[in-house]
Amino acid sequence: MKQAKQIHSATKNKAYISTPQNDKTSQQGLTAKQAAERLAANGPNVLPGSEPESSLAMIVKILTEPMFLMLLIAGGIYLTLGDRTEALLLLGFVFVIIAITLIEQRKTQRALESLKDLSAPRALVIRDGQQHRIAANELVCGDLIILKEGDRIGADVMLVEGRLAVNESLLTGEAVPVQKTPQAKSKHSDVCLEPNKDHPSALFASTIVTSGIGQAEVIATGAKTAVGRIGNDLAATKESPSALQQASSKLVRWLGALALLIACGQIFLLWWWNNQPILTSLLSGVALAMATLPEEIPVILTVFLAMGAWRIAQQKVLTRKVSAVESLGAITVLAVDKTGTLTLNRMQVVELATSSLNGDGDVFNPEGAEQLPETFHQLSEFAMLATPGDPFDPMEEAIKEFSQRWLAGTEHERDGRQPEFEYPLTADILAMTKVFQSTQKHSHILATKGAPEAIADLCHLNSAQRAIITQQIKTMAKRGLRVLGVARGNWHSTNDNEPNWPSSQHDFNFTFLGLVALADPPRPEVPHAIAQCRRAGIRVMMMTGDHSDTAKAIAKQVGLSARAEVISGNEMNSLDDAALLKRLNNVDICARLQPQHKLRLVNILKAHGDVVAMTGDGVNDGPALKAADIGIAMGERGTDVAREAAALVLLDDSFTRIVSAIGQGRRIYENIRKAIRFTFAVHVPIIALALLPGVMHWPALLLPVHIVLLELIINPACSIIFEAEPQSSRLMDCPPRKTTDSPFGFKHLLTAIVQGLGIAALLLSAYVWMNAQSWDTNRSGSLIVIMLILSVYLLILANRDLTRPAIMGLFSANPWVLKTAGAIILLLLAFLFIPWLRSLMGLVYPIAEDYVVAVSVLLLMALWLEAARRISLLWNKAHIID
């Protein structure tokens, strides 16, 4: 027998009655003062192991990075050589870089924590007799909470009113829902209790309500809950690295091994071939290893993805999985539901049609009407009876509101009447039936509503009668109306105490009463957003459970598709995957879908090579949301199950937020590419200046202190300037990037390598020329370091936008560009004009001739970078990269 649900209603802003009337506290719930006192006494309702990483742990992690180990080794060598000043300078730089890194990581952590707070489960709690939606971490023992289908339970509770089915697979591994029945409210105070796991009223934190509605009392929070006692594993689970983070880790490990190999070769070369002391050789090798290590790459990805998720949250799109940020820019198919996403989700009953089985039915339009004709009373009454007393679905809310208004004061007013039994809507029968006790003994009244074709089937209508109803439905649906059928029935039981309920709704006899038509107008901003998607090369598909004509009408109104074809769930059932994929090439509207149809569509599109984003809100949408490359749950009307399965949550359910998030995703990925291109470009001349002097028997040009100084510029440039780059106006006019596209690919790094090689060649040529002019080696080496520092800024400008000259980068909306220029100039002035700093860095005060040479070389660098930019554009155009 199919499990039935007993529904218990609640009036807005009133607690459920769960105890005798004289128990005032139980009706009102806790007071705000009581809740605050218990929260202070027992702590927040959070699982152990969820605390943020401490500053000490961050520092230890930073000190174990290869770059800092190299710094410590270099400082030790300086001390051994007796150069205490250089050693202290390096160690001072260690603390400066630790401070900068801590600031960056704290900024990232704060962004992630704010997202975590937003994504925390919510609870509908009764306090001071009013319903309040609060974060689950604010629940305290003794709180009364309301639970509905799709809710994730926020604490261990005891059911005191209603009847629920709960999925406890998280704790038991058993996927079959467990039925819960109520018990009387306890008299305990603020002391948390341990629930009896076998008690039929016990419900546990992190389990999911699959059906029903009820009221429960919190008896355990945080570590005292069943899931909290299991251990820290569930609470401390961390998101696995994204594909981009995994690729970067692999690249960094490979480059780290290469840096170590080259450094060892440098040390051996200088010691054996150049006959330099072993410590001096070791110092040069350390400098080369530091120059080769791309320490910025992990920072870039961590900061950009976390800050990107935070920026997306500012546009009311919550990122639950930070790794989804990098996939946003690759979306090729956006599969959206109709109700609430493309429409306002403000359902209203706009038309009633009584039984027209003989072609003589009446139609009622409430607009301008003063009263509901008697002809429509029974239709409205039974539509109301078939609706939950505290509806969650917008259509059911509209039906309840309509009936309460138009039946008030009549004998057909049925608000608050409780059913004896319920047959829920299923995939096999798209209708729900509620059974009520009749005034006659052994007699029961049935109220049914659902898809018109399902209601017609339950009423056993003949083909002629069905044709009449079908035509009426089509007429309504073509106007964008959503249509439900309503029927009534009677059933006689042989036993009043324990009725032997039939196993299926098909076992009853129903009488068709008529149709209820509801309207949900499209959001006014949707047509523009869909046009944006089309320009961006993103295909928008509608996946809805509505009638085909309704779906087509809404699609036409919002400009979703000019194609007339629609595919239904029944048609999908008759097609294999290959035939369905071929059919989808000509269809953008999928109607009358069940959750399994959505899952199948997502999997087929993914197998075809599409990157699929899908919206959903219900419990049954969970599998499809999880299967999609990016699942998008509705924040306002969505269930906790949908939100848990999704990567993104729309806080206001607006379709335009999805388009904004896609634009932000493209911006973030593009900025990652720019930052990585800059990082590789700037490391090429550093490696060349650290490696070639040993091969050419020159004095060392770059010492560890110089490389650390460069890192003080490079690291913030990557994580601040490029992260803050605004979105290009052209970005949403380009097709989605290919999934095979990677910022670490040779085609993207070629420009960086060309830029870096040109700068390295100009610096080395300048050094050769200065030596040919018999310049002092300290003077020429000092000027090379100064020009290298200034070239870093030229590379920042050059890599901000390859579509325009680097000089144009000075005039943009990014406030950090000019600030960075000022910081670099002040830093150089400090190291040049403060004697003790100049001595520490081994620099020489420049004279007029030095300025002429520096300006000339920097101008040649700018010309080279412009030439590299133009060559890159021509090469990209020829190979159709972007």
Side-chain angles (χ1 to χ4, degrees):
M1 176 190 290
K2 292 186 181 291
Q3 182 62 44
K5 299 182 297 180
Q6 184 176 359
I7 303 301
H8 296 257
S9 65
T11 306
K12 281 189 176 180
N13 298 327
K14 291 185 179 179
Y16 290 97
I17 305 301
S18 60
T19 54
Q21 292 289 331
N22 59 2
D23 190 346
K24 183 177 179 181
T25 303
S26 69
Q27 297 178 40
Q28 299 296 313
L30 298 178
T31 65
K33 182 180 178 181
Q34 286 175 321
E37 290 173 350
R38 296 184 185 189
L39 185 63
N42 298 326
N45 177 33
V46 294
L47 295 176
S50 58
E51 295 80 9
E53 190 176 20
S54 66
S55 296
L56 179 61
M58 286 185 183
I59 292 173
V60 172
K61 191 175 179 181
I62 291 168
L63 289 175
T64 57
E65 292 288 335
M67 177 64 76
F68 294 100
L69 293 177
M70 294 293 103
L71 280 173
L72 294 175
I73 291 171
I77 294 171
Y78 274 122
L79 283 175
T80 305
L81 291 172
D83 296 331
R84 293 184 179 179
T85 305
E86 285 82 356
L88 290 174
L89 179 64
L90 274 180
L91 294 176
F93 275 142
V94 167
F95 289 110
V96 172
I97 294 179
I98 285 176
I100 292 174
T101 308
L102 270 177
I103 290 170
E104 290 174 346
Q105 292 193 7
R106 277 296 183 196
K107 184 180 179 182
T108 300
Q109 188 178 78
R110 282 196 300 271
L112 292 175
E113 287 298 317
S114 66
L115 293 175
K116 185 178 178 182
D117 290 342
L118 283 172
S119 64
R122 313 286 289 176
L124 186 59
V125 64
I126 301 171
R127 288 181 182 170
D128 295 313
Q130 302 290 317
Q131 294 182 15
H132 301 279
R133 182 74 65 178
I134 65 170
N137 58 17
E138 297 177 13
L139 287 173
V140 296
C141 293
D143 260 329
L144 297 180
I145 62 173
I146 296 170
L147 297 172
K148 298 181 180 180
E149 178 180 325
D151 285 350
R152 182 176 287 277
I153 301 172
D156 284 0
V157 299
M158 296 297 284
L159 188 66
V160 296
E161 176 73 14
R163 186 162 294 177
L164 304 174
V166 181
N167 184 332
E168 296 182 345
S169 58
L170 176 72
L171 297 173
T172 65
E174 178 57 56
V176 177
V178 180
Q179 300 299 317
K180 301 293 182 177
T181 54
Q183 71 165 13
K185 183 181 180 297
S186 71
K187 299 290 184 179
H188 77 74
S189 60
D190 61 340
V191 179
C192 293
L193 304 175
E194 182 175 343
N196 179 354
K197 290 187 293 185
D198 298 323
H199 197 286
S201 300
L203 300 106
F204 305 99
S206 298
T207 59
I208 298 166
V209 179
T210 58
S211 64
I213 183 171
Q215 176 186 306
E217 177 190 3
V218 176
I219 62 170
T221 61
K224 297 179 181 179
T225 61
V227 69
R229 291 191 299 272
I230 289 177
N232 295 336
D233 292 342
L234 285 171
T237 50
K238 295 183 180 179
E239 184 181 352
S240 58
S242 68
L244 198 55
Q245 289 171 321
Q246 291 175 10
S248 71
S249 298
K250 184 177 180 180
L251 178 66
V252 168
R253 286 196 299 270
W254 184 84
L255 290 175
L258 181 64
L260 183 62
L261 183 63
I262 294 175
C264 291
Q266 172 90 330
I267 294 168
F268 181 76
L269 184 68
L270 293 175
W271 174 62
W272 177 72
W273 190 29
N274 286 1
N275 295 317
Q276 291 190 14
I278 184 63
L279 289 178
T280 304
S281 303
L282 187 60
L283 199 60
S284 295
V286 168
L288 180 58
M290 291 170 64
T292 308
L293 283 171
E295 285 290 314
E296 302 84 4
I297 292 178
V299 176
I300 289 170
L301 296 180
T302 302
V303 171
F304 278 47
L305 292 177
M307 290 303 299
W310 179 81
R311 290 182 187 277
I312 291 173
Q314 305 309 298
Q315 300 187 20
K316 297 191 176 181
V317 181
L318 171 64
T319 306
R320 294 196 67 258
K321 300 174 183 176
V322 176
S323 58
V325 173
E326 72 183 58
S327 302
L328 277 168
I331 291 173
T332 58
V333 175
L334 181 54
V336 297
D337 190 15
K338 177 185 71 66
T339 304
T341 308
L342 301 179
T343 63
L344 291 170
N345 196 29
R346 296 175 187 167
M347 284 286 187
Q348 288 184 326
V349 176
V350 295
E351 197 170 291
L352 296 182
T354 56
S355 176
S356 56
L357 303 184
N358 298 314
D360 57 354
D362 294 327
V363 175
F364 171 73
N365 189 322
E367 187 175 356
E370 295 183 359
Q371 62 180 5
L372 183 68
E374 181 67 31
T375 312
F376 299 95
H377 281 193
Q378 192 178 53
L379 171 59
S380 182
E381 174 190 359
F382 277 82
M384 176 68 173
L385 286 174
T387 299
D390 185 24
F392 177 72
D393 184 86
M395 288 196 304
E396 294 183 327
E397 287 181 345
I399 291 172
K400 179 179 179 181
E401 182 182 341
F402 180 89
S403 296
Q404 285 178 333
R405 175 188 174 188
W406 294 98
L407 296 179
T410 72
E411 61 179 354
H412 299 279
E413 187 177 9
R414 301 290 187 178
D415 191 19
R417 186 171 178 181
Q418 300 298 319
E420 288 185 278
F421 201 73
E422 178 185 355
Y423 292 87
L425 183 144
T426 65
D428 298 328
I429 304 176
L430 297 178
M432 58 173 61
T433 297
K434 295 183 185 297
V435 184
F436 298 87
Q437 178 67 51
S438 173
T439 55
Q440 299 178 7
K441 191 176 181 181
H442 302 300
S443 182
H444 304 271
I445 299 172
L446 311 174
T448 302
K449 77 173 189 303
E453 55 268 34
I455 299 298
D457 187 45
L458 290 175
C459 293
H460 307 292
L461 302 182
N462 58 43
S463 57
Q465 293 171 327
R466 292 188 186 217
I468 295 171
I469 294 174
T470 300
Q471 183 57 46
Q472 196 168 12
I473 294 168
K474 282 185 173 293
T475 302
M476 292 177 170
K478 284 178 181 178
R479 290 184 280 131
L481 304 182
R482 187 162 186 177
V483 187
L484 296 175
V486 179
R488 67 163 296 169
N490 291 288
W491 181 72
H492 295 274
S493 63
T494 56
N495 187 345
D496 253 356
N497 295 327
E498 292 292 336
N500 186 20
W501 305 110
S503 61
S504 171
Q505 298 176 70
H506 280 295
D507 296 330
F508 296 109
N509 292 317
F510 290 99
T511 301
F512 188 83
L513 295 179
L515 303 172
V516 178
L518 303 99
D520 183 15
R523 293 179 181 266
E525 68 275 15
V526 166
H528 175 69
I530 289 178
Q532 275 187 297
C533 288
R534 193 170 289 112
R535 287 198 307 273
I538 300 169
R539 179 187 181 190
V540 181
M541 297 180 66
M542 182 191 292
M543 294 186 184
T544 179
D546 278 352
H547 192 278
S548 339
D549 289 330
T550 305
K552 283 170 64 176
I554 295 297
K556 185 177 180 180
Q557 292 177 44
V558 299
L560 185 143
S561 176
R563 307 183 195 189
E565 291 191 63
V566 179
I567 188 171
S568 68
N570 286 335
E571 185 180 351
M572 283 179 57
N573 293 335
S574 64
L575 300 174
D576 59 23
D577 287 354
L580 179 55
L581 179 60
K582 186 177 180 180
R583 183 88 168 84
L584 290 177
N585 292 332
N586 302 307
V587 173
D588 294 321
I589 304 170
C590 308
R592 277 295 188 246
L593 297 186
Q594 293 297 308
Q596 64 269 23
H597 295 137
K598 294 181 181 181
L599 177 60
R600 185 183 175 198
L601 286 168
V602 167
N603 288 331
I604 287 175
L605 290 168
K606 285 177 62 179
H608 182 247
D610 283 303
V611 177
V612 182
M614 177 198 159
T615 67
D617 58 5
V619 175
N620 292 331
D621 287 332
L625 288 172
K626 196 168 185 179
D629 294 287
I630 300 180
I632 306 172
M634 302 297 106
E636 288 186 338
R637 73 178 193 276
T639 60
D640 283 347
V641 175
R643 288 190 285 269
E644 289 286 333
L648 302 178
V649 178
L650 301 184
L651 298 182
D652 63 357
D653 293 4
S654 173
F655 178 78
T656 55
R657 302 297 183 187
I658 304 175
V659 182
S660 298
I662 292 173
Q664 281 291 322
R666 290 190 176 192
R667 181 194 71 83
I668 293 161
Y669 194 86
E670 186 64 21
N671 289 348
I672 287 174
R673 285 174 55 177
K674 292 174 183 178
I676 289 174
R677 187 170 61 228
F678 161 76
T679 300
F680 275 84
V682 82
H683 273 277
V684 170
I686 295 174
I687 293 170
L689 294 179
L691 177 62
L692 288 182
V695 177
M696 304 299 294
H697 296 275
W698 296 343
L701 292 176
L702 289 183
L703 298 174
V705 288
H706 299 143
I707 294 172
V708 172
L709 177 60
L710 287 164
E711 284 295 325
L712 288 176
I713 301 170
I714 296 170
N715 213 323
C718 291
S719 58
I720 296 177
I721 293 182
F722 288 105
E723 193 282 325
E725 277 293 287
Q727 182 174 327
S728 168
S729 58
R730 303 180 301 272
L731 204 56
M732 287 298 283
D733 293 330
C734 303
R737 64 176 173 83
K738 297 179 181 178
T739 53
T740 55
D741 181 44
S742 169
F744 305 113
F746 177 74
K747 63 183 180 181
H748 294 308
L749 295 182
L750 182 60
T751 301
I753 294 170
V754 171
Q755 288 176 340
L757 287 175
I759 289 176
L762 287 170
L763 289 173
L764 291 170
S765 298
Y767 184 74
V768 171
W769 180 85
M770 287 184 284
N771 284 344
Q773 303 302 312
S774 300
W775 285 27
D776 178 72
T777 54
N778 290 333
R779 178 186 169 197
S780 56
S782 175
L783 193 56
I784 291 298
V785 172
I786 292 170
M787 290 190 292
L788 177 60
I789 291 172
L790 292 173
S791 73
V792 172
Y793 191 71
L794 288 179
L795 284 169
I796 290 173
L797 296 179
N799 284 286
R800 289 187 62 219
D801 189 352
L802 290 181
T803 63
R804 61 181 183 175
I807 191 66
M808 299 298 293
L810 287 170
F811 313 101
S812 71
N814 191 334
W816 292 103
V817 174
L818 292 179
K819 291 179 181 178
T820 302
I824 291 174
I825 292 171
L826 288 175
L827 195 65
L828 267 179
L829 290 175
F831 280 105
L832 287 175
F833 291 98
I834 299 175
W836 67 274
L837 283 178
R838 184 172 65 244
S839 174
L840 285 176
M841 294 298 296
L843 300 177
V844 175
Y845 185 78
I847 60 176
E849 189 178 2
D850 296 348
Y851 288 109
V852 174
V853 172
V855 170
S856 300
V857 174
L858 288 170
L859 284 173
L860 289 174
M861 287 181 184
L863 291 174
W864 171 256
L865 292 175
E866 176 61 17
R869 183 188 73 83
R870 291 177 180 270
I871 293 169
S872 173
L873 287 176
L874 291 172
W875 194 84
N876 287 349
K877 186 177 181 180
H879 290 77
I880 321 177
I881 289 180
D882 295 322

